[in-house]
Amino acid sequence: GAVVSQHPSWVICKSGTSVKIECRSLDFQATTMFWYRQFPKQSLMLMATSNEGSKATYEQGVEKDKFLINHASLTLSTLTVTSAHPEDSSFYICSAREPLSGSRGNEQFFGPGTRLTVL
Amino acid sequence: DAKTTQPPSMDCAEGRAANLPCNHSTISGNEYVYWYRQIHSQGPQYIIHGLKNNETNEMASLIITEDRKSSTLILPHATLRDTAVYYCIVRVSNTGNQFYFGTGTSLTVIP
């Protein structure tokens, strides 16, 4: 149980285009999902926290108009990188969490990541 | 911001116990310590977590000092597949329960 998937697993796009990444919780309902970014040989950096049905909360320094997050259902959150540039090339990872009242409410379950390359 | 410090790298002989230390001297009383690991180009994998008491599961043991300012993750019999970056995380204690990852320890298990 507690499987999180991401789609696509990798994507290459041209500079200036937008890319959408999906994060799905396959066998549980995720009231909260998190988006991280990881550059080569670096740690994961939290970008934003999204709660189902409400606006995402972005970490300091993360542009909310560039990284659009939608969490419209309890099993799906999307991250759209708008007007992508080469410096946006990175490994994007999502995680999902059950309601705090659940037995696993304290854990985060991570997706396999999406590698974005912007040419 | 990350609230933990870990050594950047460690080696361990295959079959031996791997002991990975973590300092979290500013931890608050209701904050948990989590351990995750990340194998290259994959998402992090949950290992174990604890609050005050030592914990053990099928993967590892977690030893937390009495003052909670540090902890040690123990992999009792390291295998080559345990080669990964290990992250010690103090979970932020609010409604968001965010994880802020530190730099982690790159563990290499040597045959």
Side-chain angles (χ1 to χ4, degrees):
Chain A
V3 178
V4 176
S5 70
Q6 285 185 238
H7 178 79
S9 54
W10 60 270
V11 57
I12 301 172
C13 71
K14 292 183 179 179
S15 187
T17 61
S18 295
V19 174
K20 180 184 284 189
I21 301 170
E22 293 184 350
C23 176
R24 293 182 185 272
S25 57
L26 299 185
D27 52 2
F28 67 99
Q29 293 187 326
T31 49
T32 305
M33 288 184 169
F34 304 88
W35 286 95
Y36 297 82
R37 180 168 53 180
Q38 185 176 34
F39 293 110
K41 297 188 185 299
Q42 294 188 23
S43 184
L44 284 78
M45 185 192 80
L46 179 65
M47 299 175 68
T49 302
S50 80
N51 292 298
E52 184 263 339
S54 61
K55 289 185 179 180
T57 302
Y58 290 81
E59 295 296 309
Q60 194 172 10
V62 178
E63 300 174 59
K64 63 180 180 181
D65 294 329
K66 180 168 183 64
F67 299 100
L68 302 179
I69 292 171
N70 184 283
H71 189 168
S73 80
L74 285 172
T75 59
L76 173 64
S77 176
T78 60
L79 167 69
T80 301
V81 182
T82 62
S83 186
H85 287 95
E87 57 265 30
D88 297 322
S89 298
S90 188
F91 193 49
Y92 290 88
I93 305 170
C94 73
S95 70
R97 199 195 72 202
E98 290 183 342
L100 281 173
S101 57
S103 61
R104 301 180 303 188
N106 291 323
E107 295 182 38
Q108 284 188 30
F109 303 101
F110 285 82
T114 296
R115 186 159 304 281
L116 170 63
T117 302
V118 185
L119 302 177
Chain B
D1 294 323
K3 299 174 69 171
T4 62
T5 55
Q6 300 174 251
S9 63
M10 289 181 64
D11 292 339
C12 176
E14 188 179 15
R16 298 282 191 167
N19 298 296
L20 293 91
C22 178
N23 285 323
H24 31 79
S25 58
T26 61
I27 193 170
S28 298
N30 58 351
E31 291 180 326
Y32 285 76
V33 178
Y34 282 76
W35 283 83
Y36 280 76
R37 72 180 182 185
Q38 186 181 28
I39 296 169
H40 181 63
S41 293
Q42 297 182 24
Q45 176 191 21
Y46 168 80
I47 301 173
I48 199 166
H49 75 280
L51 181 63
K52 289 190 236 184
N53 299 322
N54 298 337
E55 302 287 345
T56 296
N57 62 21
E58 64 277 4
M59 288 183 70
S61 295
L62 174 61
I63 309 297
I64 303 174
T65 57
E66 195 168 336
D67 62 7
R68 302 212 323 124
K69 292 186 177 182
S70 66
S71 61
T72 301
L73 178 74
I74 301 172
L75 307 178
H77 305 286
T79 70
L80 298 179
R81 282 182 289 187
D82 292 324
T83 293
V85 178
Y86 287 76
Y87 294 101
C88 167
I89 305 161
V90 170
R91 192 195 75 198
V92 175
S93 192
N94 58 24
T95 55
N97 286 297
Q98 288 88 353
F99 283 174
Y100 293 98
F101 283 74
T103 53
T105 295
S106 178
L107 174 69
T108 301
V109 180
I110 302 168

